[in-house]
Amino acid sequence: MKLRFAVLTLILGVLGADTHSAPAKQSAPQQAAPSLPQEDSSYVDREGTAYVYRVVPMPQTISPEAQKYLTKPVPHPGLGASVAENRASTDAMQARDSALNRAMYPVNVEKSTVDGVPVLMVTPVDPIPANKAVRALICLHGGGFTTDSGSLTESIPIAHLARTKVVSVLYRLAPEYPFPAAVDDSVAVYKALLHTYRPQHIAIYGASAGGILAAEVAAKIKQLGLPMPGALGIFTGSGDFSKVGDSTSIYSVVGLATHTTPRRDSGQWISAYVGSTDPKDPILSPLYSDLHGMPPTLFLTSTRDMMLSGTTILHRAFLRAGDDAQLVVFEALTHGFWYEAGLPESQEADKLIAHFFDDHLASHR
C-alpha cells in the first residue's frame, strides 16, 4: 500500500492567527476566521491518504521569543514568482538576517576565490588561536539550489563561536547550472584546501539545500578516493531525490502556515536542480551511496521542519553504515529556524554546531 499524507487544514496558535500565509505587503491586522471547526477530525482512505484537521495550540515548550517567531509574517514573492523575483526576495531576507547575526557575532567578511570558485572568507574579529588556525570549515549555503539564503547567515555565527575560518562557497545555482555543478564547485574548494589543511582539520556543513549538498559532496569525495574531512554537518537535509518524506506533506517551509512544498502529486522535487539526472544517482541521492566510513556527522532538524523526514532518514542510513552520527531535534520550530539569530533556540543550535566541530577537529588528531 502506498502511504501518502495530505493535510487539509492546520491551525497555529489562536484560531485565525495564521499570519505566515499573508503576503508581505498585507500588514493590517487580520480578523478571526469565522466558523472554524473546534474539534479534531481525520479520515484515511483505502490508499492510505489521510485527510486531517487539527487544532494546534501555541506550544508552551519553547521560548517566548520562539512563540512570537511562530506568528511572524514571512515575506514571500508567491508560488508563481520568477527565479529573479525569488532571488531578490531571498537576498533581502539574508541581508536582514546576516545583519542581525553580525551584530551578535562580530566577524570579518572578505570576497575571494578558491580554484576559480567564488567564496566568502568569514573569520572572527579577534585573532584566531594557533590551535584553530590549522582548521577550516566549508559552509554550503541553503536556498533550494536556486538562491543564496545562507552564505552569510550560516557562516557568521559559526566562525565567531568556533573561532575558526569559514569558507562559504558561492556555488553555481540552478536552473542555469543543475546537478552536478554545485557538487563540482564544492569539491573543487575542498581539494584546494587540502593543499593547506589536513583533511581531519576540515569540516563541511550546510543547511537545507546546503545540508543536502554536504552529504552529496561527502559521497563524491569518497567516490573520488580523496581523504575524508574530519566532520560533517547536515542541518535540515535529505539524501533521496527519488521520493519525499512524510513531513513534506505536513509542513511548509514555514511550518504549519501556508501550502506544503511539494504539494501532493507534484512533479520531481527541486526539478530545477535534479535536471535530467536519475533521482537515484548515488551522488545526487547519497541514500543510495556507500555510506560506510563517513566522518562524524551532526544532524539537526526540528519538529515542524518540512525536511524532518529527510534528515532523520539519512541519519538512520548513517547509523546502519556504522558511522558516528548524532541527531538533535528541536521542539516545535520550523525549517532552518536558526537563521533567526535572536531566538534562544537558534543560539543553542549555533553553539551545538561550534562545539561539535571543536570536538571533532581537535588539533592533536
Side-chain angles (χ1 to χ4, degrees):
M1 179 190 301
K2 181 180 178 182
L3 181 62
R4 297 180 298 169
F5 197 101
V7 176
L8 292 183
T9 312
L10 286 159
I11 303 301
L12 171 64
V14 180
L15 291 177
D18 181 6
T19 55
H20 282 75
S21 60
K25 62 184 179 181
Q26 296 181 356
S27 57
Q30 294 180 317
Q31 295 181 350
S35 303
L36 289 174
Q38 299 299 307
E39 296 180 356
D40 294 347
S41 64
S42 66
Y43 166 74
V44 181
D45 68 19
R46 291 182 178 180
E47 293 184 350
T49 300
Y51 300 84
V52 179
Y53 181 93
R54 290 289 185 265
V55 177
V56 183
M58 178 62 73
Q60 301 303 304
T61 48
I62 56 177
S63 68
E65 294 89 342
Q67 291 177 346
K68 184 177 180 181
Y69 169 73
L70 289 180
T71 63
K72 182 180 177 181
V74 178
H76 192 278
L79 284 176
S82 66
V83 172
E85 290 171 328
N86 279 323
R87 287 175 179 168
S89 174
T90 302
D91 288 348
M93 178 196 73
Q94 180 167 208
R96 170 196 165 275
D97 290 345
S98 62
L100 292 174
N101 272 275
R102 204 164 180 175
M104 293 181 61
Y105 306 109
V107 294
N108 299 312
V109 179
E110 178 184 353
K111 293 182 179 180
S112 185
T113 59
V114 174
D115 197 24
V117 179
V119 300
L120 299 175
M121 297 290 189
V122 185
T123 54
V125 170
D126 295 331
I128 296 175
N131 67 325
K132 295 190 174 185
V134 299
R135 309 179 192 177
L137 309 178
I138 298 176
C139 174
L140 307 177
H141 67 76
F145 293 103
T146 61
T147 69
D148 172 5
S149 66
S151 61
L152 286 171
T153 312
E154 297 168 29
S155 57
I156 288 171
I158 306 308
H160 178 89
L161 292 168
R163 302 177 71 189
T164 302
K165 176 189 289 186
V166 175
V167 181
S168 192
V169 182
L170 303 177
Y171 56 82
R172 288 170 291 170
L173 299 173
E176 296 91 339
Y177 301 99
F179 176 87
V183 174
D184 292 344
D185 289 351
S186 304
V187 170
V189 171
Y190 178 70
K191 290 170 69 175
L193 292 183
L194 287 175
H195 295 299
T196 305
Y197 301 93
R198 297 171 65 184
Q200 59 265 44
H201 293 162
I202 301 174
I204 301 172
Y205 74 95
S208 192
I212 296 171
L213 184 55
E216 293 176 339
V217 169
K220 186 65 176 181
I221 289 170
K222 180 174 182 178
Q223 184 187 72
L224 293 172
L226 296 170
M228 298 300 290
L232 291 177
I234 298 175
F235 313 141
T236 183
S238 177
D240 187 0
F241 275 98
S242 71
K243 59 181 72 74
V244 295
D246 190 60
S247 60
T248 59
S249 293
I250 303 172
Y251 305 112
S252 75
V253 72
V254 287
L256 295 177
T258 192
H259 63 86
T260 57
T261 306
R263 287 179 291 180
R264 183 173 55 155
D265 298 329
S266 64
Q268 171 64 54
W269 187 45
I270 318 184
S271 58
Y273 176 65
V274 174
S276 60
T277 303
D278 180 351
K280 290 188 177 181
D281 178 277
I283 304 302
L284 175 67
S285 295
L287 194 69
Y288 303 100
S289 183
D290 178 8
L291 296 174
H292 293 88
M294 286 289 122
T297 303
L298 175 64
F299 290 84
L300 286 182
T301 183
S302 46
T303 60
R304 295 189 185 183
D305 179 12
M306 66 178 185
M307 294 174 72
L308 170 63
S309 293
T311 305
T312 58
I313 290 168
L314 188 58
H315 171 250
R316 287 168 47 220
F318 272 55
L319 293 179
R320 288 195 300 271
D323 300 319
D324 177 359
Q326 301 179 30
L327 172 66
V328 177
V329 183
F330 279 81
E331 161 72 349
L333 290 167
T334 59
H335 182 70
F337 66 87
W338 46 83
Y339 279 28
E340 192 77 12
L343 302 184
E345 290 87 345
S346 297
Q347 294 159 32
E348 181 182 350
D350 287 332
K351 289 176 182 177
L352 280 171
I353 295 167
H355 291 162
F356 181 82
F357 292 148
D358 278 344
D359 288 344
H360 291 282
L361 302 183
S363 58
H364 67 273
R365 291 173 180 262

